[in-house]
Short mmCIF file of all heavy atoms in Angstrom, two decimals:
data_model
loop_
_atom_site.label_atom_id
_atom_site.label_comp_id
_atom_site.label_asym_id
_atom_site.label_seq_id
_atom_site.Cartn_x
_atom_site.Cartn_y
_atom_site.Cartn_z
N ASP T 32 -7.30 -2.71 15.61
CA ASP T 32 -7.62 -1.80 14.50
C ASP T 32 -8.95 -2.23 13.91
O ASP T 32 -9.34 -3.40 14.00
CB ASP T 32 -6.53 -1.83 13.42
CG ASP T 32 -6.49 -0.52 12.63
OD1 ASP T 32 -7.33 -0.34 11.74
OD2 ASP T 32 -5.61 0.32 12.93
N ILE T 33 -9.63 -1.26 13.28
CA ILE T 33 -10.92 -1.57 12.66
C ILE T 33 -10.75 -2.25 11.31
O ILE T 33 -11.63 -2.96 10.84
CB ILE T 33 -11.75 -0.26 12.51
CG1 ILE T 33 -13.20 -0.59 12.12
CG2 ILE T 33 -11.10 0.69 11.49
CD1 ILE T 33 -14.11 0.63 12.12
N LYS T 34 -9.61 -2.07 10.68
CA LYS T 34 -9.38 -2.62 9.34
C LYS T 34 -9.15 -4.13 9.41
O LYS T 34 -8.59 -4.64 10.39
CB LYS T 34 -8.15 -1.97 8.69
CG LYS T 34 -8.28 -0.48 8.44
CD LYS T 34 -7.09 0.08 7.69
CE LYS T 34 -5.81 0.05 8.50
NZ LYS T 34 -5.87 0.99 9.65
N PRO T 35 -9.55 -4.87 8.36
CA PRO T 35 -9.19 -6.29 8.30
C PRO T 35 -7.67 -6.44 8.34
O PRO T 35 -6.93 -5.56 7.88
CB PRO T 35 -9.75 -6.75 6.95
CG PRO T 35 -10.77 -5.73 6.57
CD PRO T 35 -10.32 -4.43 7.18
N LEU T 36 -7.20 -7.56 8.86
CA LEU T 36 -5.75 -7.76 9.00
C LEU T 36 -5.02 -7.63 7.66
O LEU T 36 -3.87 -7.20 7.63
CB LEU T 36 -5.47 -9.14 9.61
CG LEU T 36 -5.66 -9.26 11.13
CD1 LEU T 36 -5.53 -10.72 11.55
CD2 LEU T 36 -4.66 -8.40 11.86
N THR T 37 -5.68 -7.99 6.59
CA THR T 37 -5.04 -7.90 5.28
C THR T 37 -4.76 -6.47 4.86
O THR T 37 -4.01 -6.23 3.91
CB THR T 37 -5.92 -8.57 4.20
OG1 THR T 37 -7.23 -8.00 4.23
CG2 THR T 37 -6.01 -10.07 4.43
N ARG T 38 -5.33 -5.49 5.58
CA ARG T 38 -5.12 -4.09 5.23
C ARG T 38 -4.31 -3.34 6.30
O ARG T 38 -4.19 -2.12 6.24
CB ARG T 38 -6.46 -3.40 4.99
CG ARG T 38 -7.22 -4.01 3.82
CD ARG T 38 -8.51 -3.28 3.51
NE ARG T 38 -8.27 -1.99 2.90
CZ ARG T 38 -8.04 -1.81 1.60
NH1 ARG T 38 -7.97 -2.84 0.78
NH2 ARG T 38 -7.87 -0.60 1.11
N TRP T 39 -3.76 -4.08 7.25
CA TRP T 39 -2.85 -3.46 8.23
C TRP T 39 -1.52 -3.19 7.53
O TRP T 39 -1.05 -3.97 6.71
CB TRP T 39 -2.63 -4.37 9.42
CG TRP T 39 -3.81 -4.50 10.34
CD1 TRP T 39 -5.13 -4.41 10.01
CD2 TRP T 39 -3.77 -4.78 11.74
NE1 TRP T 39 -5.92 -4.61 11.11
CE2 TRP T 39 -5.11 -4.84 12.19
CE3 TRP T 39 -2.74 -4.99 12.65
CZ2 TRP T 39 -5.43 -5.09 13.52
CZ3 TRP T 39 -3.07 -5.25 13.98
CH2 TRP T 39 -4.40 -5.30 14.42
N TYR T 40 -0.87 -2.09 7.92
CA TYR T 40 0.40 -1.74 7.29
C TYR T 40 1.56 -2.56 7.83
O TYR T 40 2.53 -2.80 7.12
CB TYR T 40 0.67 -0.25 7.45
CG TYR T 40 -0.19 0.58 6.54
CD1 TYR T 40 -1.33 1.21 7.02
CD2 TYR T 40 0.12 0.71 5.19
CE1 TYR T 40 -2.14 1.96 6.18
CE2 TYR T 40 -0.68 1.45 4.35
CZ TYR T 40 -1.81 2.07 4.85
OH TYR T 40 -2.61 2.80 4.01
N GLN T 41 1.47 -2.97 9.08
CA GLN T 41 2.50 -3.83 9.66
C GLN T 41 1.84 -4.81 10.61
O GLN T 41 0.90 -4.46 11.32
CB GLN T 41 3.54 -3.01 10.44
CG GLN T 41 4.33 -2.02 9.63
CD GLN T 41 5.46 -1.40 10.44
OE1 GLN T 41 6.43 -2.05 10.79
NE2 GLN T 41 5.32 -0.11 10.73
N ILE T 42 2.37 -6.03 10.62
CA ILE T 42 1.99 -7.03 11.62
C ILE T 42 3.28 -7.59 12.20
O ILE T 42 4.16 -8.05 11.47
CB ILE T 42 1.14 -8.15 11.03
CG1 ILE T 42 -0.23 -7.60 10.60
CG2 ILE T 42 0.96 -9.29 12.02
CD1 ILE T 42 -1.15 -8.63 9.97
N THR T 43 3.41 -7.52 13.51
CA THR T 43 4.62 -7.97 14.18
C THR T 43 4.40 -9.34 14.81
O THR T 43 3.43 -9.53 15.54
CB THR T 43 5.04 -6.97 15.27
OG1 THR T 43 5.30 -5.70 14.67
CG2 THR T 43 6.30 -7.45 15.99
N PRO T 44 5.25 -10.33 14.52
CA PRO T 44 5.12 -11.66 15.12
C PRO T 44 5.11 -11.59 16.65
O PRO T 44 5.83 -10.81 17.26
CB PRO T 44 6.37 -12.39 14.62
CG PRO T 44 6.73 -11.70 13.34
CD PRO T 44 6.39 -10.26 13.57
N GLY T 45 4.24 -12.38 17.26
CA GLY T 45 4.15 -12.44 18.72
C GLY T 45 3.17 -11.46 19.32
O GLY T 45 2.91 -11.50 20.53
N VAL T 46 2.61 -10.58 18.50
CA VAL T 46 1.64 -9.60 18.97
C VAL T 46 0.22 -10.16 18.77
O VAL T 46 -0.08 -10.75 17.73
CB VAL T 46 1.80 -8.27 18.22
CG1 VAL T 46 0.62 -7.34 18.50
CG2 VAL T 46 3.11 -7.61 18.61
N GLU T 47 -0.63 -9.97 19.78
CA GLU T 47 -2.03 -10.36 19.66
C GLU T 47 -2.77 -9.30 18.83
O GLU T 47 -2.78 -8.13 19.20
CB GLU T 47 -2.66 -10.47 21.05
CG GLU T 47 -4.14 -10.83 21.02
CD GLU T 47 -4.79 -10.77 22.40
OE1 GLU T 47 -4.11 -10.35 23.36
OE2 GLU T 47 -5.98 -11.11 22.50
N ASN T 48 -3.39 -9.71 17.75
CA ASN T 48 -4.06 -8.78 16.85
C ASN T 48 -5.57 -8.99 16.88
O ASN T 48 -6.04 -10.11 16.65
CB ASN T 48 -3.54 -8.96 15.42
CG ASN T 48 -2.05 -8.75 15.32
OD1 ASN T 48 -1.53 -7.71 15.70
ND2 ASN T 48 -1.34 -9.76 14.80
N LEU T 49 -6.31 -7.91 17.14
CA LEU T 49 -7.77 -7.98 17.17
C LEU T 49 -8.35 -6.95 16.22
O LEU T 49 -7.90 -5.80 16.20
CB LEU T 49 -8.29 -7.72 18.60
CG LEU T 49 -7.87 -8.70 19.70
CD1 LEU T 49 -8.46 -8.25 21.03
CD2 LEU T 49 -8.31 -10.11 19.36
N VAL T 50 -9.34 -7.34 15.45
CA VAL T 50 -10.06 -6.43 14.58
C VAL T 50 -11.35 -6.02 15.30
O VAL T 50 -12.27 -6.83 15.46
CB VAL T 50 -10.37 -7.09 13.22
CG1 VAL T 50 -11.22 -6.15 12.36
CG2 VAL T 50 -9.09 -7.46 12.50
N LEU T 51 -11.39 -4.76 15.76
CA LEU T 51 -12.51 -4.25 16.54
C LEU T 51 -12.82 -2.82 16.14
O LEU T 51 -11.91 -2.04 15.84
CB LEU T 51 -12.19 -4.29 18.04
CG LEU T 51 -11.96 -5.65 18.69
CD1 LEU T 51 -11.44 -5.47 20.11
CD2 LEU T 51 -13.24 -6.48 18.69
N ASP T 52 -14.09 -2.46 16.17
CA ASP T 52 -14.52 -1.08 15.98
C ASP T 52 -14.60 -0.42 17.34
O ASP T 52 -15.52 -0.68 18.12
CB ASP T 52 -15.88 -1.04 15.28
CG ASP T 52 -16.35 0.38 15.00
OD1 ASP T 52 -15.69 1.34 15.44
OD2 ASP T 52 -17.40 0.53 14.35
N LEU T 53 -13.62 0.42 17.66
CA LEU T 53 -13.54 1.00 19.00
C LEU T 53 -14.52 2.16 19.21
O LEU T 53 -14.55 2.73 20.30
CB LEU T 53 -12.10 1.45 19.29
CG LEU T 53 -11.09 0.30 19.33
CD1 LEU T 53 -9.68 0.84 19.54
CD2 LEU T 53 -11.44 -0.72 20.41
N LYS T 54 -15.32 2.49 18.21
CA LYS T 54 -16.43 3.41 18.45
C LYS T 54 -17.52 2.72 19.26
O LYS T 54 -18.37 3.39 19.86
CB LYS T 54 -16.98 3.93 17.13
CG LYS T 54 -16.03 4.82 16.34
CD LYS T 54 -16.68 5.50 15.16
CE LYS T 54 -17.20 4.53 14.13
NZ LYS T 54 -16.09 3.78 13.47
N ILE T 55 -17.51 1.39 19.26
CA ILE T 55 -18.50 0.60 19.99
C ILE T 55 -17.98 0.36 21.40
O ILE T 55 -16.89 -0.19 21.60
CB ILE T 55 -18.77 -0.73 19.28
CG1 ILE T 55 -19.33 -0.45 17.87
CG2 ILE T 55 -19.71 -1.60 20.09
CD1 ILE T 55 -19.46 -1.68 17.01
N LYS T 56 -18.75 0.76 22.38
CA LYS T 56 -18.31 0.74 23.78
C LYS T 56 -17.87 -0.66 24.22
O LYS T 56 -16.82 -0.83 24.86
CB LYS T 56 -19.45 1.24 24.68
CG LYS T 56 -19.13 1.32 26.15
CD LYS T 56 -20.32 1.89 26.92
CE LYS T 56 -20.07 1.92 28.41
NZ LYS T 56 -21.25 2.45 29.15
N GLU T 57 -18.65 -1.67 23.89
CA GLU T 57 -18.34 -3.03 24.33
C GLU T 57 -17.00 -3.51 23.76
O GLU T 57 -16.27 -4.28 24.42
CB GLU T 57 -19.47 -3.99 23.92
CG GLU T 57 -20.78 -3.79 24.65
CD GLU T 57 -21.55 -2.56 24.19
OE1 GLU T 57 -21.24 -2.03 23.08
OE2 GLU T 57 -22.47 -2.14 24.91
N HIS T 58 -16.67 -3.06 22.56
CA HIS T 58 -15.39 -3.46 21.96
C HIS T 58 -14.21 -2.87 22.73
O HIS T 58 -13.14 -3.47 22.79
CB HIS T 58 -15.33 -3.01 20.50
CG HIS T 58 -16.22 -3.79 19.60
ND1 HIS T 58 -16.24 -3.61 18.23
CD2 HIS T 58 -17.13 -4.78 19.86
CE1 HIS T 58 -17.12 -4.45 17.69
NE2 HIS T 58 -17.68 -5.15 18.65
N CYS T 59 -14.40 -1.70 23.31
CA CYS T 59 -13.33 -1.08 24.09
C CYS T 59 -13.03 -1.88 25.35
O CYS T 59 -11.87 -2.05 25.74
CB CYS T 59 -13.69 0.36 24.44
SG CYS T 59 -13.80 1.44 22.99
N TYR T 60 -14.07 -2.38 26.00
CA TYR T 60 -13.86 -3.22 27.18
C TYR T 60 -13.17 -4.52 26.79
O TYR T 60 -12.26 -4.99 27.49
CB TYR T 60 -15.20 -3.52 27.87
CG TYR T 60 -15.72 -2.35 28.68
CD1 TYR T 60 -16.42 -1.32 28.08
CD2 TYR T 60 -15.48 -2.28 30.05
CE1 TYR T 60 -16.89 -0.24 28.81
CE2 TYR T 60 -15.95 -1.21 30.81
CZ TYR T 60 -16.65 -0.19 30.17
OH TYR T 60 -17.10 0.87 30.92
N GLN T 61 -13.56 -5.09 25.65
CA GLN T 61 -12.89 -6.30 25.16
C GLN T 61 -11.42 -6.03 24.87
O GLN T 61 -10.55 -6.84 25.19
CB GLN T 61 -13.59 -6.80 23.90
CG GLN T 61 -12.97 -8.05 23.30
CD GLN T 61 -13.64 -8.47 22.00
OE1 GLN T 61 -14.72 -7.98 21.65
NE2 GLN T 61 -13.02 -9.38 21.27
N ALA T 62 -11.13 -4.88 24.31
CA ALA T 62 -9.77 -4.53 23.94
C ALA T 62 -8.88 -4.34 25.16
O ALA T 62 -7.70 -4.72 25.15
CB ALA T 62 -9.76 -3.26 23.09
N LEU T 63 -9.40 -3.75 26.21
CA LEU T 63 -8.58 -3.36 27.36
C LEU T 63 -8.55 -4.38 28.48
O LEU T 63 -7.67 -4.32 29.35
CB LEU T 63 -9.08 -2.02 27.93
CG LEU T 63 -8.47 -0.75 27.33
CD1 LEU T 63 -8.58 -0.70 25.81
CD2 LEU T 63 -9.10 0.49 27.94
N ASN T 64 -9.47 -5.31 28.49
CA ASN T 64 -9.56 -6.26 29.60
C ASN T 64 -8.26 -7.05 29.75
O ASN T 64 -7.75 -7.61 28.78
CB ASN T 64 -10.72 -7.22 29.36
CG ASN T 64 -10.99 -8.09 30.59
OD1 ASN T 64 -11.00 -7.61 31.71
ND2 ASN T 64 -11.21 -9.37 30.36
N GLY T 65 -7.71 -7.07 30.96
CA GLY T 65 -6.50 -7.82 31.25
C GLY T 65 -5.22 -7.09 30.98
O GLY T 65 -4.12 -7.63 31.18
N CYS T 66 -5.30 -5.83 30.53
CA CYS T 66 -4.10 -5.03 30.22
C CYS T 66 -3.93 -3.92 31.26
O CYS T 66 -4.83 -3.62 32.04
CB CYS T 66 -4.21 -4.43 28.83
SG CYS T 66 -4.30 -5.70 27.52
N SER T 67 -2.75 -3.30 31.25
CA SER T 67 -2.47 -2.28 32.26
C SER T 67 -2.15 -0.92 31.67
O SER T 67 -2.20 0.09 32.38
CB SER T 67 -1.32 -2.72 33.16
OG SER T 67 -0.15 -2.96 32.41
N GLU T 68 -1.82 -0.85 30.38
CA GLU T 68 -1.50 0.43 29.74
C GLU T 68 -2.13 0.49 28.36
O GLU T 68 -2.31 -0.54 27.70
CB GLU T 68 0.01 0.62 29.63
CG GLU T 68 0.72 0.72 30.96
CD GLU T 68 2.23 0.87 30.85
OE1 GLU T 68 2.74 0.88 29.70
OE2 GLU T 68 2.89 0.99 31.89
N VAL T 69 -2.42 1.72 27.92
CA VAL T 69 -3.07 1.94 26.63
C VAL T 69 -2.37 3.06 25.88
O VAL T 69 -2.13 4.13 26.45
CB VAL T 69 -4.56 2.31 26.79
CG1 VAL T 69 -5.19 2.60 25.44
CG2 VAL T 69 -5.31 1.20 27.51
N PHE T 70 -2.09 2.82 24.62
CA PHE T 70 -1.71 3.88 23.69
C PHE T 70 -2.85 4.01 22.69
O PHE T 70 -3.05 3.12 21.85
CB PHE T 70 -0.41 3.53 22.95
CG PHE T 70 0.81 3.54 23.82
CD1 PHE T 70 1.18 2.41 24.53
CD2 PHE T 70 1.61 4.68 23.91
CE1 PHE T 70 2.33 2.41 25.32
CE2 PHE T 70 2.76 4.69 24.70
CZ PHE T 70 3.11 3.56 25.41
N ASN T 71 -3.62 5.09 22.77
CA ASN T 71 -4.75 5.27 21.89
C ASN T 71 -4.38 6.16 20.71
O ASN T 71 -4.34 7.39 20.82
CB ASN T 71 -5.95 5.86 22.64
CG ASN T 71 -7.16 6.00 21.72
OD1 ASN T 71 -7.21 5.41 20.64
ND2 ASN T 71 -8.14 6.78 22.15
N LEU T 72 -4.13 5.53 19.56
CA LEU T 72 -3.84 6.24 18.32
C LEU T 72 -4.95 6.02 17.30
O LEU T 72 -4.80 6.40 16.14
CB LEU T 72 -2.50 5.79 17.74
CG LEU T 72 -1.24 6.21 18.49
CD1 LEU T 72 -0.94 5.28 19.66
CD2 LEU T 72 -0.04 6.25 17.57
N ALA T 73 -6.05 5.43 17.71
CA ALA T 73 -7.12 5.10 16.78
C ALA T 73 -7.94 6.34 16.44
O ALA T 73 -8.39 7.07 17.33
CB ALA T 73 -8.03 4.03 17.38
N ALA T 74 -8.15 6.59 15.15
CA ALA T 74 -8.96 7.71 14.68
C ALA T 74 -9.21 7.55 13.19
O ALA T 74 -8.42 6.91 12.48
CB ALA T 74 -8.26 9.04 14.95
N ASP T 75 -10.30 8.14 12.72
CA ASP T 75 -10.56 8.20 11.29
C ASP T 75 -9.94 9.49 10.79
O ASP T 75 -10.44 10.59 11.07
CB ASP T 75 -12.07 8.19 11.04
CG ASP T 75 -12.42 7.86 9.60
OD1 ASP T 75 -11.49 7.69 8.79
OD2 ASP T 75 -13.62 7.78 9.29
N MET T 76 -8.83 9.39 10.09
CA MET T 76 -8.09 10.60 9.72
C MET T 76 -7.25 10.37 8.47
O MET T 76 -7.17 9.28 7.95
CB MET T 76 -7.20 11.07 10.88
CG MET T 76 -6.14 10.07 11.33
SD MET T 76 -4.62 10.16 10.39
CE MET T 76 -4.03 11.78 10.85
#
Side-chain angles (χ1 to χ4, degrees):
D32 206 281
I33 192 173
K34 297 185 292 293
L36 282 172
T37 54
R38 297 184 72 83
W39 288 30
Y40 285 100
Q41 297 188 69
I42 292 179
T43 299
V46 168
E47 178 187 5
N48 301 304
L49 298 179
V50 176
L51 296 171
D52 182 354
L53 296 177
K54 294 190 297 294
I55 299 172
K56 182 178 177 181
E57 291 75 17
H58 288 185
C59 294
Y60 283 83
Q61 180 183 347
L63 271 54
N64 189 43
C66 298
S67 58
E68 296 178 359
V69 177
F70 291 86
N71 182 16
L72 290 82
D75 196 358
M76 61 86 66

